[in-house]
Amino acid sequence: MITTAVVPAAGMGTRMLPATKAVPKELLPIVERPALQLIVDEAVGAGVDHLVIVTSRSKPAIEQYFAPDAAVEESLQRQGRGAVADQLRRYGNDIRVSFAFQDRPLGLGHAVACARDAVGDRPFFVMLPDELMSDSSLLAGLTRVLDDTGVGAVALKRMPRTELSRYGIVSPVGEARVVSGLDALPFVGVVEKPAVDDAPSDLAIIGRYALTPDIFDDLDALTPGSTGELQLTDALAAQAAREPLWGVVSTVGRRDIGSPLGWLQAVVEAAADHDEHGAAFREWLKDEVRRRN
Ligand code: UTP
């Protein structure tokens, strides 16, 4: 069972400027809940009780979000939203929240390396907060595969050719098989953002990883890649070259909220499914779409 999740949240969020000039990308709201809250809910749903948020000194709002605040909790209680108050009260009580600081955004690999002391010597998740998953089942599946195989497991998604150069693409070996009831396949390499014709497959790593702690040695050994950043995929490639890692082909709903269109889609989807406002929102949206056609 994996109980620690690292959430790298120290990036600049340049695609969402100017919003991210003052508000961290991870706290932009999906209706009334910050994106980071949805990530935490997904983690807790998979059994996580220790969150390690990698943040930067220039994003103090992230720490503030997890700080206890009796006035906010009372206000939520008065509005009849006690369940949300209870959820916030869990931080620092049954859910431990640690912060690791990345002084400069030197890349995702560097951000994960900053979490080493907080993680310790046990397997852990990495969850990219600009990708939202519809539920916790993908994390649960990654844990099962790591338990079964003893090596790291990453979430994969088949992507159309035009998208391949935006992701880390794996080189599978052998046939896909069912591990713990999931479609899983071993891979021996990863190429970060390949040119379409150089992509070794159409299987892209999406933002959920279950990693063994020896990845930290591979992260320490990294040198900056072509982009000048320390890439998590390069550390995974080094591990996979020694012994194949495993990919789990995801079937859960996914939204990439790091760009304006993806964020908008996630907000509209969450609004349409919203317990309290969903019905009214769907009516309104229908009229708006009709008016514009
Ligand atoms: P992204 O590259 O998607 O995020 O990294 P970004 O750099 O913030 O966004 P843009 O491209 O400028 O718009 C994926 C995740 O990794 C974190 C980011 O905060 C984001 O959640 N990250 C990235 C770090 O924590 N440190 C880094 O050096 C790079």
Side-chain angles (χ1 to χ4, degrees):
M1 176 99 177
I2 297 181
T3 55
T4 297
V6 173
V7 183
M12 312 273 277
T14 53
R15 285 167 295 164
M16 294 297 276
L17 280 170
T20 46
K21 183 164 178 268
V23 180
K25 173 171 81 170
E26 298 76 14
L27 294 181
L28 292 177
I30 307 297
V31 193
E32 80 281 37
R33 290 192 294 170
L36 190 53
Q37 179 66 59
L38 303 180
I39 298 293
V40 172
D41 291 348
E42 182 193 341
V44 171
V48 166
D49 63 8
H50 181 204
L51 293 156
V52 182
I53 317 275
V54 183
T55 180
S56 100
R57 305 269 174 209
S58 62
K59 295 167 98 172
I62 290 186
E63 285 166 90
Q64 204 176 340
Y65 183 72
F66 292 98
D69 190 328
V72 166
E73 285 160 22
E74 272 163 38
S75 168
L76 284 163
Q77 293 285 6
R78 272 199 307 276
Q79 294 170 28
R81 299 169 68 202
V84 182
D86 291 345
Q87 195 176 34
L88 295 182
R89 211 174 286 120
R90 293 184 72 185
Y91 305 132
N93 292 309
D94 52 334
I95 300 170
R96 194 174 139 213
V97 184
S98 307
F99 296 98
F101 291 90
Q102 187 189 27
D103 295 333
R104 280 189 301 150
L106 296 177
L108 180 58
H110 181 255
V112 174
C114 292
R116 183 174 199 157
D117 288 347
V119 167
D121 202 22
R122 304 199 36 202
F124 61 102
F125 293 125
V126 172
M127 303 174 70
L128 302 194
D130 48 9
E131 292 182 46
L132 299 182
M133 305 298 168
S134 56
D135 59 56
S136 305
S137 62
L138 183 55
L139 290 182
L142 291 174
T143 309
R144 286 206 298 278
V145 173
L146 185 142
D147 281 349
D148 260 36
T149 62
V151 296
V154 304
L156 299 176
K157 193 168 165 54
R158 286 195 192 280
M159 292 288 174
R161 262 175 75 79
T162 49
E163 302 265 304
L164 297 180
S165 52
R166 293 180 45 212
Y167 293 92
I169 307 296
V170 301
S171 314
V173 275
E175 292 298 304
R177 32 198 131 130
V178 177
V179 174
S180 309
L182 292 158
D183 277 341
L185 47 88
F187 62 91
V188 283
V190 192
V191 191
E192 181 66 19
K193 301 189 172 71
V196 173
D197 291 332
D198 298 335
S201 72
D202 63 349
L203 289 161
I205 299 185
I206 54 174
R208 299 294 180 269
Y209 310 72
L211 302 176
T212 50
D214 55 324
I215 190 86
F216 287 118
D217 291 335
D218 291 296
L219 288 168
D220 283 351
L222 287 181
T223 49
S226 54
T227 54
E229 295 190 337
L230 298 174
Q231 301 287 2
L232 178 58
T233 43
D234 290 341
L236 290 171
Q239 275 197 319
R242 288 195 300 272
E243 180 180 0
L245 298 177
W246 284 79
V248 173
V249 183
S250 168
T251 51
V252 303
R254 167 181 175 268
R255 291 276 173 219
D256 177 351
I257 57 167
S259 68
L261 180 61
W263 177 79
L264 205 51
Q265 288 167 338
V267 171
V268 170
E269 192 172 60
D273 291 340
H274 197 277
D275 284 345
E276 189 182 345
H277 305 299
F281 177 73
R282 289 195 301 273
E283 273 308 303
W284 173 86
L285 188 62
K286 233 176 358 195
D287 289 346
E288 285 297 307
V289 170
R290 204 176 298 128
R291 210 160 56 80
R292 281 168 171 76
N293 279 339

